[in-house]
């Protein structure tokens, strides 16, 4: 590997550009922390765009929670090693409130009930709970509760989304559903959600779609359609179509990769550099960072080093296997950047249960980095490995975010706690700078 280029100094290096990494960069910037962020942003395209806080606990019984905060309190009691237990409910609440407030300020509004999960329709017609959802999906929660006559719209060529399938799945719960199979304005053949969303940011396309929906409206009091109503101009697209249709609209998530995740990604990519974050997107840490005194020095670039980042503190939010923060070979699970010890079953034969659909999930799903109460990675004896290294997001051990339905909540809360921990190292006060 050729020598790294010029050196960049910063207070904090955030490694990762998923939800945890983006949230950590946001929280740091708002506290006046000089931050550099690196990572491959494509992972955000596979985010659902829904901010789940907690949906299921215990996993083994599949108990769902109407009030996620009650569920978290019970989870903290039952699983004291879970990251939520280390973070604490007040920090979880504060982190979620701050991030939702940022999105609202950045023209990507989200809605949440103070003490209640909302319900949405999935692309296969089942119902899912979530805590904070895009404003474009709010009407779905109301429609599910009251079940008015409703028109579901889909488009020829859009795979993985069928209005008829959704209707068939929900028929017993919601008999007053009707469907319309409409050509998408200006696009033909196999449809890609990003092309659809960008097409609807043009006035002629959304006018054509709005009038086509109105023709099929009948007695419908609401209209549900795939989540393709624009990317950077969703509020305008949504408002224009709804005004012509004349009844409330709601978006239904599509299969991944989803426009709702892309909206979040583009929002963060637009806003964080304006807040002072020195973002090096589509770059990564190329070899293990080394210590120089009390600072980390990390070579960063694409295929070859472009700069060396010298940071007083680091937040590791590199994700699990999909994000390549963890790697499993035939014998062991490894952390890929710092070579940190990974909490995992002692033998690969214990990674999985023989039953693929085991009620409690598989032990490998709870593997990851064990930490102290400041979210600093620790060894098997619970000793902090580096006083200025913090971890956030799905790389943390003792959680099963997929089955617990807490992915975004875990990412946001742990990012908030990791930034709070870094402030103790950096000597930065708790004041939030509103941008």
């Amino acid at each position: 590997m050729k020598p790294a280029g010029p050196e960049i100094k910063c207070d904090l290096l955030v490694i990762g550009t998923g939800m945890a990494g983006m949230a950590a960069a946001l929280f740091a910037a708002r506290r006046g922390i000089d931050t550099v962020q690196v990572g491959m942003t494509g992972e955000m395209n596979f985010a659902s765009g829904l901010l789940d806080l907690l949906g299921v606990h215990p996993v083994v019984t599949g108990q769902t929670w109407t009030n996620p905060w009650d569920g978290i309190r019970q989870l903290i009691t039952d699983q004291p090693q879970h990251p939520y237990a280390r973070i604490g409910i007040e920090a979880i609440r504060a982190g979620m409130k701050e991030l939702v407030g940022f999105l609202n300020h950045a023209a990507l509004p989200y809605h949440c009930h103070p003490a209640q999960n909302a319900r949405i329709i999935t692309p296969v017609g089942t119902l899912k709970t979530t805590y904070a959802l895009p404003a474009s999906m709010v009407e779905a929660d109301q429609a599910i509760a009251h079940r008015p006559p409703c028109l579901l719209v889909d488009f020829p060529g859009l795979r993985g989304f069928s209005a008829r399938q959704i209707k068939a799945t929900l028929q017993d719960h919601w008999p007053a559903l009707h469907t319309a199979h409409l050509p998408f304005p200006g696009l033909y053949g196999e449809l890609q959600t990003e092309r659809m969303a960008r097409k609807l940011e043009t006035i002629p396309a959304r006018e054509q779609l709005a009038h086509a929906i109105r023709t099929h409206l009948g007695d419908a009091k609401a209209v549900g359609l795939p989540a393709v109503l624009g990317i950077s101009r969703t509020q305008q697209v949504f408002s224009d179509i709804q005004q012509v249709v004349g009844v409330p609209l709601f978006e239904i998530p599509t299969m991944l990769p989803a426009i709702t995740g892309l909206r979040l990604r583009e929002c963060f990519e637009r806003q964080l550099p304006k807040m002072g974050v020195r973002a090096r997107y589509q770059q990564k840490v190329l070899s293990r960072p080394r210590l120089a005194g009390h600072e980390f020095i990390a070579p960063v670039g694409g295929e070859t080093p472009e700069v060396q980042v010298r940071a007083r503190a680091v937040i590791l939010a590199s994700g699990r296997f999909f994000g390549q923060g963890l790697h499993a070979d035939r014998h062991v699970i490894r952390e890929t950047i710092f070579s940190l010890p990974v909490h995992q079953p002692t033998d690969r034969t214990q990674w999985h249960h023989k039953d693929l659909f085991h009620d409690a999930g598989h032990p490998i799903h709870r593997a990851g980095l064990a930490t102290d109460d400041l979210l600093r990675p620790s060894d098997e004896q619970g000793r902090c490995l580096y006083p200025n290294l913090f971890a956030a997001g799905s790389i943390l051990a003792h959680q099963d975010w997929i089955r617990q339905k807490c992915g975004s909540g875990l990412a946001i809360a742990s990012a908030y706690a990791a930034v709070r921990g870094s402030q103790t190292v950096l000597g930065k006060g708790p004041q939030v700078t509103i941008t």
Side-chain angles (χ1 to χ4, degrees), residues 295-316:
E295 298 177 322
F296 283 105
I297 299 178
V300 170
E303 295 301 319
T304 57
E306 297 181 19
V307 296
Q308 288 194 116
V309 177
R310 180 186 287 265
R312 296 170 58 202
V314 174
I315 294 178
L316 181 63

Side-chain angles (χ1 to χ4, degrees), residues 36-48:
V36 171
Q37 182 186 16
V38 302
M40 312 300 286
T41 59
E43 184 181 346
M44 281 287 284
N45 293 356
F46 291 86
S48 70

